[in-house]
Structure formats: C-alpha cells, structure tokens
Amino acid sequence: MDWATLEPSLNLTEIGEQAYRLIAELYPLCRSITGEGVRQTLAIVQQHIPLTVHEVPTGTRVFDWTVPKEWEIRDAYIKNAKGERIVDFRNSNLHVVSYSAPVRGKISLTELKEHLFSLPDRPDWIPYRTSYYKENWGFCLTHNQLLSLDGESYEVLIDSSLRAGQLTYGEFYLPGTTRDEVLLTSHICHPSLCNDNLSGIALLTLLAKLLASQPRCYSYRFLFIPGTIGSITWLARNEARVRRIKHGLVLACVGDPGHSSYKKSRRGDAEIDQAVRHVLEHLGQEYEILDFSPYGYDERQFCSPGFNLPVGCLMRTPHGRFPEYHTSADNLDLVRPECLADSFSKCLAILNVLENNRTYLNQNPKCEPQLGKRGLYSTMGGQAEARVNELAMLWVLNLSDGMHTLLDIANRSGVAFDTLQRAAQALLQHGLLKECVKAASRPPRTSENEGKMNPTAIGDTRRKGSKR
Amino acid sequence: MDWATLEPSLNLTEIGEQAYRLIAELYPLCRSITGEGVRQTLAIVQQHIPLTVHEVPTGTRVFDWTVPKEWEIRDAYIKNAKGERIVDFRNSNLHVVSYSAPVRGKISLTELKEHLFSLPDRPDWIPYRTSYYKENWGFCLTHNQLLSLDGESYEVLIDSSLRAGQLTYGEFYLPGTTRDEVLLTSHICHPSLCNDNLSGIALLTLLAKLLASQPRCYSYRFLFIPGTIGSITWLARNEARVRRIKHGLVLACVGDPGHSSYKKSRRGDAEIDQAVRHVLEHLGQEYEILDFSPYGYDERQFCSPGFNLPVGCLMRTPHGRFPEYHTSADNLDLVRPECLADSFSKCLAILNVLENNRTYLNQNPKCEPQLGKRGLYSTMGGQAEARVNELAMLWVLNLSDGMHTLLDIANRSGVAFDTLQRAAQALLQHGLLKECVKAASRPPRTSENEGKMNPTAIGDTRRKGSKR
Amino acid sequence: MDWATLEPSLNLTEIGEQAYRLIAELYPLCRSITGEGVRQTLAIVQQHIPLTVHEVPTGTRVFDWTVPKEWEIRDAYIKNAKGERIVDFRNSNLHVVSYSAPVRGKISLTELKEHLFSLPDRPDWIPYRTSYYKENWGFCLTHNQLLSLDGESYEVLIDSSLRAGQLTYGEFYLPGTTRDEVLLTSHICHPSLCNDNLSGIALLTLLAKLLASQPRCYSYRFLFIPGTIGSITWLARNEARVRRIKHGLVLACVGDPGHSSYKKSRRGDAEIDQAVRHVLEHLGQEYEILDFSPYGYDERQFCSPGFNLPVGCLMRTPHGRFPEYHTSADNLDLVRPECLADSFSKCLAILNVLENNRTYLNQNPKCEPQLGKRGLYSTMGGQAEARVNELAMLWVLNLSDGMHTLLDIANRSGVAFDTLQRAAQALLQHGLLKECVKAASRPPRTSENEGKMNPTAIGDTRRKGSKR
C-alpha cells in the first residue's frame, strides 16, 4: 500500500456517501450481543466483503466468562387502559432494555416504574440500556412519556426469549507479504445507534474492501464482534495466533462532526500510538490524544495485562462526551458523510505509515553523499528558501543508522511521514540506502489454514484464489 | 494501619489543640544542641510516649565531627549605668547567642556593639543566633533596643559554662510486621521558636502516640535530635541498621498557616517522594514540591552521598520563606491548632500510602474477569455516569502485572490511592488478585535488642511487652 | 585554562575591535571553496596564529565527493550598448555567481536574464549565489539594476578559469595535557559577507591566539575550511584521529546584534550541548537552543551517522533568519565589535566548562564534613541569608559520588559552573574531594607527528618548540 499513489485515486466524497448509506441500511436492525440482529448485520456486510461468520454455542467457556444465552425479541409494548401501545418496540428498538427476559401481564404503575428508564435532562430522547448478565426486564422511554403515565395499571409485553443458541461474529482475513498482522475491529452489538457504532462497522467494511485491492506488506484481520464478550471469545479461541498482531485499532464513534481523537494502547508508545499521533499532528486539524484507560471499547480486552497488545482506539468525539451518546439521538442526523470520509482517510494514512515504516541503513554514512551529482539536489546554491524534499533526504540519510525507523525520523525532524517516504524511495533507487530486514517478518506459510480453527463457521465466503 | 478505618475515628480538632498545648508547654525552655533545655524537652515528650533518652559524651568522634562541650546557661543581661537590665535573658532566651561563652564585666559601647545582633528591617523582633563551633559570645536584641543604647559603657553578664558533658537525644522505636523501617525525625535544638521547630516536636510526639495503637506493617523509628550534630551522631552510632530505613520524613515548620510543602529526597523519585506528592495532589489544596538541595534540616545528613536514604522533609512554609523565621516572632501566635491538625492528617495519609503500597498479580490476566457475576459490577449497562469504584477495580486489574505498585497505578490512573486500596481489597477477597511478596520484607527477629547499641542510655522507658 | 583567573585580565572591548578590524581586512577578498581568495585569507590569519595551510589536489576522492577544479576569477562585467560596465565585479565580488565558468560575448537581454539573479523584495541588495558542482555562469545584481535593463543586447564577460588545482584549508593544532581534542571550525568560502562568516573566521583566529597562551587540559584543533567540501576533505584525510575529538563547535554568524543561539549536536545531550546551554542560561540574556537538523554548516558532516561527533554550532542569529543573510547587506554595518566580543567571551566560558568539568569523589561521604573547622563555613549560624559559596560547597559534596560531573551538579543545583568550580577547588585543597580519573584521558605522546598526514602542506608555520 502506498498512500502517494492511492490517495489521488480515492473519491472520498463517494466513500463518505457509501458509508452513510450502509449505516442507514443497518440502522433499523435490533442488534444485541447475540441474536438475529447480529446475523442480519453481518449478512449486509457480506454484500461488501467476503466475511467469515463464526457461531460459538451458548455455555462455551471463554476465559473467565461464559457465552450467554441467545436473545430473541419479537415484540414489546406498554399498553394503557384503552389498549393503546403508548411505548412500542415497533417504533424504536431502544424501547426495550437489551436482553430483557420475557414478561406479559398487567402491573401497577408503581411496579412498572421500577422497570422504566428515562433521561430527565433530555426529555425527548430514549436512553439505551442493557442487562446482559443479570436476568431482568425493562423499558426505556422519553422522560415526557414517563411523565404522562397516570393510569393505575398498565399491560406490558416483552415477547422475547433467552435460550441456548450462538454468539455470532464476523471475521475477514487479508493475507499480506508477511504473517505479521494488523488487527482492525468494531463492536456490532448496539441497536439503532449510528455513531456508536454503525459508523465503525461501515468504515471497517469499506476499509476492508479497499485494502483487498491493494498490495499489502502486513496481513490484515477485520473483526466485527459484539462488545466485550465478542473480543473475549475471539481471544480465547485464537490465543495462539495473538502474537502475530503487531498493531491494532478499534474503530468507534467515527462519524460525528467532532474532531478526531485517539486513545493510546496500554503500552502508550507502541508503533500504532506513534503512527496515529504523527498522522493527526500533520493534518493541521484539531485532535486529541487520550491516555489509555481500562474503560472503553474492546481495547480493554486486547490490552489486558495477559495480552498487552498494541491496540488503540480511533474515534471522533469519545464515548460519553457527546450528549447523544447511548440515546435515540445518536441517529442518522448525528453522523455525516464527510466526517465518515475524513475518518476513512485518516485510517488509510495511519495504515500507510505502518505499511511503510521501514528502517534503512545509509550506504554512505561518513559525511553526506553528494546528492547533486545524482540529480537529487538543486545545483544552484546560496538560496535561503526551505527545500522540503532535500531536507527530507538529508534527514533520512542522517538518521538511517539502523536504529531509527522512518517514523522515528518523522518524529524527530517534524517532516511528514509521506515526504520522508518519498525521499527514502529516491535514495533507495540511487543505492544510497538499504533496508534493514526486520527479524520478525517472515513470508506467509501456504500451509496455514484459517478454516481449521473455525469449526462452527457457518459460511466461509472468502474470495476464491486469495492466498492463505 | 488503614486510613479508611482510622480516619473517621480521629478527632482532628482535639489533636490540633493537643499539639498546640504541647508547643505552649515547651515554648519557655531554653534549648540548644546540648544541655538541660534538651533534657527537659525530652522529659515532657516522655509524658506522652515511652521515649528512650540517649546521652553521648563530649569528645565522641562521630564521622568528621566531635560531640561538642555541653552548654549551660543560667543568666545573662546587659545593664546600663543605672544598673537596669536593659537586655535580660529572663525575658527571652533568644537574647543570648546560643553557645555563648561566659563573660562578665564592664565594656564600652563600641566594643559591645561587636557582640550585638538585631534586625534593622524588623525593629521589634529579636533575632536568633548561634555560635556552636567557634567560641564566642553575643546578645540578640530588637533593633529599637540597639538604637536606644547611648551610654558610654555597659555591664554585661553571660553566666554560662561550656564543659565536658553529654549530647542528648530521644528515640522511640515501634516494631511492625517487618523490620523495614520508616524514620520520622524532628530537630529539638531551637529555643523559644514555635514553628521551627516545636511544631515538629509536637506532631512527631502525637504521631508516635497514635501509631503505637495501630497495626503496623513497617517498624517506625522516631528521632528527637539536635539539628546536624544530632543526626550525624545517630547515623554514626547506627550505621549498621541504616539499610533498614525504607522511607523517612523530617518534620519541620508544620504549624504555620501557609500551604504544605515537601522537599524531595536526594533520590528525587523515592517511594516517599511519590507518596507525598500523591497525597498533596489529591487533597485539592495548594501545595509545593521542592527539589532536594543540600541545605535545610537533617535530611542533609540522611541524604549525604554515603547514605543517600529516601528521606524527605515535610513542611508548611519552608524555612527562610516566612519573615518570622529565626526571630522572636516565631512565637505562639504564628502556629495554629488547625494547621497542626492539617499537617498531622497529611502525615497519616502519607504513612497510609506507605503501609498499603503493595504490588499485586492479576489472577485472570487474559481479558477482564467478569466482575458482574461476583457482585463487583453494576449489572445495568449503558449508563454514561462515571463509576469511580468500578474504574478503580479495572485499573488495579489492568496494571497488576507484578510490575506496578498501587502507588504506580494511582499515579498513572489519577485515581486516589485509598480508592484503589479499597478496590484491591475487594478484588483480593474474590481471589482476583494475589499479593507479590517483596524480597526485602522479613518478619522481625525477636532476638534483636535495641538496647545493646545504647550503652549511655539514661532511661529505657519502652513499653513493657512491646515485641522487639 | 581557568576562567576565574583569565576573565579579569581580558580586555573584551579591545578584542571586539581587533575582531572587527580583521573582518574589515578580509572583507574585500573574493573567496570561494577554492582559489586565491582562500589563500589570501589564510595568509592574513597566519599573521595572528601559526596556521598550517594544506592543499589537496583537484580530483582527490574524499568519501563520496571529488575535490573540484580550482576556480580563478580575474574580472567580470555586463556592459551596455554604450560600453558602460553596468554590472561590475570590481564593485562587488558578489556580482558573479561563484564558480561561474568563463563567458565572453554579446547576448540578447532575454538570454542574459536566464543568468541573472536579484531579490525583488530587497531591490537594493545583491544576492549571493554559487554553482559549485554544475558548470554554469551567472551574475547577481540588485533588483533595481535588473529593472533598468532595457537594451536589446549586452556584452558580458566573466574572465574566470576552472582548472586542475588545489583545495586549500588551514589547520592549527594546540596540544594540551591530554590528546583528547576540542575541535573548533569556521567556513572560509564566503566572499564579501561579514556575519556569514568573516565573523567566525575572526573569532576563531583570536580564540586560537588566546588559547595558545593558556594552560590547556584538552588539545585544540582549529580548522579554517571551505564549507561542506572542506570538512569532508578534512574528515577523509583524518579519519583515524577523529575518535580523539571529544567536543566540537562550529562558529558561524557570531557578529550580528541578535541574541546567541546554539544548534545542538546530533547526539543532543553531548557534554558540549550541556556546556553551551549552561553558559547561555546563566548569563541572564535571551538565547535560543535549536535542535540538530542535517541542514546548516559543517556540523552536517561532523554529525553524519558514520562519525556522529559531538559537534554543535554556535551562532547569534541563525543563517536564513536575518534578512541580510547571503546578500550584499551582510556587510561591515551588520557586525559589531561589541557583539563579536560577547560571542568571544561566551566561547571562552564554554571552553572553561569543558576544561574544568571534572568528576570528584567526596572523601567524607557519610554526613557532611565539618566545613567550619576548616574555615570553609561561616561560624555564626542562624542567619537566613543565602550563602552562595557555602551552598556551592554543599552541592559539590553531596553529588560528588563519582557519578556526577561538575556540569551535572551545575545543572541539578542551578548554581553557576564557575561558582562550583571554585567550591571544588577549595574542597580539593582541604582534602575533602579527590578527582576521579577519566579512563579516556591519556598524556600526549611525543612521537606524534602532525606533519606526516599533510604531504601537501605548503607551509608549516607552527611555533617552534610547541610540544607535539
């Protein structure tokens, strides 16, 4: 992958529109950590990329956790004395607390209120609530709806079931020149919430689609997983291959108009952390780098001390910092095509850094080589104007002592990575640099069979002919 | 010691009053680096804690120094022609330069003036001066007194003696679960000066009294010593046990209304330095951290390069920064019960960090353990509100890889130490953590006999039955 | 060398005037990277110091470069139709692009303009341009001159030659107690430009003159070299002795009224970097520390990765930051005697740090030694005033554990180096310190023969009897 050649060919406007349409298509589905909503979501993603869908049975032990029962929801409402559905699941799937146990009957308002959730300070919004690991039931409604309840008793129905079933997740693997992997993930368990995290699902899908068409140094693994239990399940089932993950990004809340933010991996100075910082810094837009904390998305699991993977989280406005977070206002108005496109473009710029972050050895380390005689240097001396490209070459030469990557050089020099990348290519062509071989990089083994480890895969839709 | 259980039982108002009363009681005594004033001071402290009083003979070599002659002072005055005591030791023991040699006779004003010290810019205050190591004599007086001298000659008397005697200091040892020690010291050589350092003596006494009643992980050693020569003498006599000192605090100027300040140990990043910074930072009051310098109190000796002990100095306004410093204005008006109480409370909070700063090992390091099934986690997900205690548990779990102490976790997370301490206790109870055993910690040996090393101890007033 | 004894004997006003006179004497010469202008310049320097002049033949390979042809220029002009010299080399040697190939004939204005260089935003200044490594010719002129050209054709003459000859540079070696070297260099290739870099040449000359009369711990090597090709040539011919260079400074732009600035070596924390920072910081004037970059003066070559020497660059206003840079306005009005004197004095202060930056071992490391009994300490205690010298002694004692140089102590304490130096001398005299012997320091070998390596030296003008 080479950003310099890729960037001009991208139609970011179209990509933003495409991502937005995908969000709109996924929006009505009632997702949770298990169930049909997840399967339907993955099926839509499969229309874009040949995703492998995995199913893991209820009761499977995954580290300290157990795959929960599968949740099915068909209908739900609160009816008033006149039999009117005053809270109706058909209007918004947020109305039902996710994983609500079935309930049916007439109950007093007092008792009902113990099962109702609203937002007093946002009286028109429906909150989003879950109760995955403790059997319970409940309705979420606007505070205005709550205030209007004045009957003595109400008829409630939650036509759901909690039965042994499957936990479903999607996985897409793109082999590269080496088996070293970049992990890219999004959580897929939220119902009709756009920024958190249909935006992540849409971007991940389009990134995978694009990368499939590009030359790749790294192998790429895309995970579409329910939050927490999904990453735990994947890690439990793939413990042996975790060491191949050299860099990772969790994508979440990437569609709102706020500026970009990045939460660092637990390591804090991993290559991914440096790469993201470099890209955001050089774009000249406002951005924020957040320290790692063990609260957030699936980076919590990837960065648990037993794994400590170099996985950060790329967002725009972080979870909990925008008022619409986890409410019905996180809808199709909150996310914007141009913001999705901007996040997409930043992802590619980050991956470009990872793909091209090589270490070189200056072949003329004693004094500068004479760039002029190779046509690499302006021949008319004495002018004071900055010469960005010449300076980039001088930086690459000066720090290519085998101990600095291009990204190190970018950080020290303040020169943009892609400018240094072009400089390094010119110097390589003239024999002034040689690449240092990374010990960790090996060619992919052809005998590797991804399928083996997925006994419950319901469909291996990988593209034919892709080299595994 | 556990701050969480201790704090609610403390009556800080009463402690502040108690410290103030002790200061008032000690105020009139004429202390110096040796002599009766020191003995009387230690006798008063012994009414509160079973202090061992040590006497070291004049002439004893202590490293590069020699224990000086003992100074006795009975009376001193300057009389005018009418025989009136115009400067009178009975009014203030600051009037005599400490360690003044005896003098008696009539001398001219010109000659007298070479032995007078005043503060022109504070004409009503008497300065405090000493001449320990060069025989000399002198009077300190207010500048107004000095200006009023207009006689031709004056009668002077300093009825003192400098004779072979003893250097006296007090020591109190409280054994803990381990022989690793926390050293707490105050200098006791200043005469009628309240903030510097009756405040330190009073606080040290009350801290010792309280800690004697608490369970202790560390052993505690309290030293009431004359400045410089006292710490040098103690170090010379206890060189072999110095390695047990794991943390130390010099208490000085802890009663004035200024904000708290802490001078770091020579190491600069010792656990005590981090602990004090953490406590001061989390109290939300103004505070100041000062870098180590080789000028100040007895930390100069403890932090000399041959010892380099992790000993810092806790103060309110540092010496030399308040105008009353080393003058008669450092009196009972300068120190306040509520400031003494505040310093006391900070000391306890610091010791609580030291006592409970353990390193743990997460027993479920791969992914998060499921806190919910253990009742440790709110079961209703999706709420945006910060959950301080859950976050504390997640931080402890995430960083308990055997390489981070609780204090490290506090520093990285920004969560208060005692919140993390409670989180760790909950996780320990559920088997989710195990404590890493410190190599340095050993149980106390019963054969240890503190008395052995103190052949000149004049009274071993240790509590019976205390395990040594 | 000892700044404390040296400083009072210096007449800085006279030194500034001397440097200015030297600049004025060198100003009219037409220097380039080779040729008579360089030889004349070095001959003038030889009137002050016994410089060795080296000549290296055209075609000599020096790493990736080749010593170029020697350039000779006799006359040059542009004549109008009336035969008037409207651009005349005799008025300013900047009028000819340095290394212009010979040209003679009548050419159209259109064609001529391709060979003309002016500064539209500084219409009265002549720019400075070179074309060393690509054969070309050109004239530099004021923009007003350019605008006034309205003839159809012009007669141009550049009476120059480019023939096999020599590259000329000057070298002066001052042996010290050890063979460890301090390298001091200036580029000598610029024609009539005062700040860049007659200022450097003048200062280097006067520094060499002064240091020759001082006791020296280090050996000093002064290089007067054409930029880039000169340092490359010197490094290529002296590769084996490069490891002796322990510190180095490139002097450039040291005469303008801007504040001092220092560009760090590639290492960034070399002793020279710390020494310069310390000196500039303690002078209480504005100053600037610049990070290393591979663009600038000969530090580019000394700091190439194959050498990575601890060589920084001392300037006032850095190249390219003053508008007169590389124009005819960098003339005798831009540089000032008092600024040259100030730069000179800073150089000496920096060299004083290097010369005296020893590591000591406290001979009484356990507790403070008793300074009072040695007359090193004020005997009257209790005064609040800061005692700078006593504090300096305490700092030296406290940090002289064999792991801190005096400069380390200066950096940590904030005390000026020369104050610490005096304190260390006092402590040494009283046996309280011993110097730690540096492993790298060895006495100079008498068998060393500098001449050997200079087969083409045209004149060894070293002072007789100087120990080599």
Side-chain angles (χ1 to χ4, degrees), chain C residues 149-386:
Chain C
L149 297 181
D150 55 2
E152 274 195 9
S153 66
Y154 289 85
E155 190 191 333
V156 298
L157 168 82
I158 298 183
D159 181 12
S160 67
S161 55
L162 282 164
R163 295 204 195 92
Q166 309 287 335
L167 177 136
T168 311
Y169 68 88
E171 185 167 15
F172 179 49
Y173 179 77
L174 272 178
T177 314
T178 78
R179 289 174 74 195
D180 290 344
E181 287 183 17
V182 179
L183 179 73
L184 298 165
T185 84
S186 277
H187 60 280
I188 54 163
C189 50
H190 285 33
S192 300
L193 298 167
C194 285
N195 200 35
D196 179 18
N197 192 27
L198 294 175
S199 69
I201 299 170
L203 235 60
L204 198 61
T205 304
L206 299 186
L207 270 174
K209 201 170 177 175
L210 181 74
L211 282 168
S213 72
Q214 297 294 315
R216 296 173 300 274
C217 170
Y218 284 108
S219 297
Y220 286 81
R221 191 175 298 278
F222 300 85
L223 297 183
F224 297 80
I225 45 176
T228 305
I229 189 67
S231 49
I232 292 169
T233 300
W234 187 86
L235 283 163
R237 289 158 54 92
N238 294 277
E239 208 177 332
R241 77 187 60 202
V242 153
R243 57 175 179 74
R244 291 192 208 154
I245 299 172
K246 302 305 174 196
H247 321 286
L249 271 185
V250 173
L251 299 183
C253 304
V254 286
D256 68 277
H259 59 67
S260 286
S261 59
Y262 173 70
K263 174 182 162 183
K264 291 194 282 189
S265 76
R266 182 181 185 268
R267 299 184 186 182
D269 63 347
E271 196 172 334
I272 182 69
D273 301 321
Q274 294 177 41
V276 178
R277 176 185 288 276
H278 178 83
V279 166
L280 295 182
E281 196 171 303
H282 276 263
L283 286 171
Q285 304 169 9
E286 214 183 328
Y287 70 95
E288 189 177 5
I289 304 286
L290 306 159
D291 282 328
F292 175 77
S293 90
Y295 196 77
Y297 295 111
D298 287 308
E299 69 278 4
R300 290 162 67 158
Q301 312 309 328
F302 298 119
C303 295
S304 57
F307 291 114
N308 196 23
L309 293 173
V311 175
C313 179
L314 188 71
M315 299 167 279
R316 298 184 78 87
T317 308
H319 53 90
R321 291 229 213 134
F322 51 100
E324 301 88 350
Y325 175 71
H326 278 193
T327 76
S328 55
D330 182 0
N331 58 25
L332 289 163
D333 294 334
L334 182 63
V335 295
R336 296 186 191 167
E338 66 273 21
C339 302
L340 291 159
D342 179 70
S343 296
F344 184 87
S345 157
K346 283 166 178 164
C347 286
L348 284 184
I350 293 162
L351 297 180
N352 178 67
V353 171
L354 299 176
E355 284 274 320
N356 296 288
N357 188 25
R358 311 293 162 79
T359 305
Y360 298 102
L361 208 55
N362 181 339
Q363 300 298 297
N364 282 271
K366 290 181 178 171
C367 300
E368 292 168 12
Q370 195 177 358
L371 297 177
K373 71 182 182 191
R374 295 172 176 89
L376 292 171
Y377 209 78
S378 163
T379 51
M380 177 63 59
Q383 298 170 69
E385 301 90 46

Side-chain angles (χ1 to χ4, degrees), chain B residues 188-203:
Chain B
I188 55 163
C189 50
H190 285 33
S192 300
L193 299 166
C194 285
N195 199 35
D196 179 17
N197 189 27
L198 294 175
S199 69
I201 299 171
L203 234 60

Side-chain angles (χ1 to χ4, degrees), chain A residues 72-79 85 96 100-108 111-112 115 135-139 153-161 163:
Chain A
E72 203 182 338
I73 174 87
R74 286 164 296 269
D75 194 10
Y77 58 73
I78 302 174
K79 278 190 183 161
R85 287 178 168 230
V96 178
S100 277
V103 66
R104 177 188 296 266
K106 206 163 187 170
I107 61 173
S108 71
E111 196 187 339
L112 176 59
H115 294 270
E135 231 177 84
N136 204 340
W137 64 269
F139 288 91
S153 66
Y154 289 85
E155 189 191 334
V156 298
L157 168 81
I158 298 183
D159 181 12
S160 66
S161 56
R163 296 205 194 91

Side-chain angles (χ1 to χ4, degrees), chain B residues 223-325:
Chain B
L223 297 183
F224 298 79
I225 46 176
T228 305
I229 188 67
S231 47
I232 292 170
T233 300
W234 187 86
L235 282 163
R237 288 158 53 92
N238 294 277
E239 207 177 332
R241 78 186 61 204
V242 153
R243 59 176 177 76
R244 291 192 208 154
I245 298 172
K246 303 303 175 198
H247 321 284
L249 271 186
V250 172
L251 298 183
C253 304
V254 286
D256 69 278
H259 58 68
S260 285
S261 58
Y262 173 70
K263 175 182 160 182
K264 291 194 283 188
S265 77
R266 181 180 184 270
R267 299 183 186 183
D269 63 347
E271 196 172 333
I272 182 70
D273 301 321
Q274 294 177 41
V276 179
R277 176 183 287 276
H278 179 83
V279 166
L280 295 183
E281 196 172 301
H282 275 263
L283 285 170
Q285 304 168 9
E286 214 183 328
Y287 70 96
E288 188 176 7
I289 304 287
L290 306 159
D291 281 328
F292 175 78
S293 91
Y295 196 76
Y297 295 111
D298 286 308
E299 69 279 3
R300 289 163 66 158
Q301 312 309 328
F302 298 118
C303 296
S304 57
F307 292 114
N308 196 22
L309 292 172
V311 175
C313 179
L314 189 72
M315 301 168 277
R316 298 184 79 86
T317 307
H319 53 90
R321 291 229 213 135
F322 52 100
E324 301 88 350
Y325 174 72

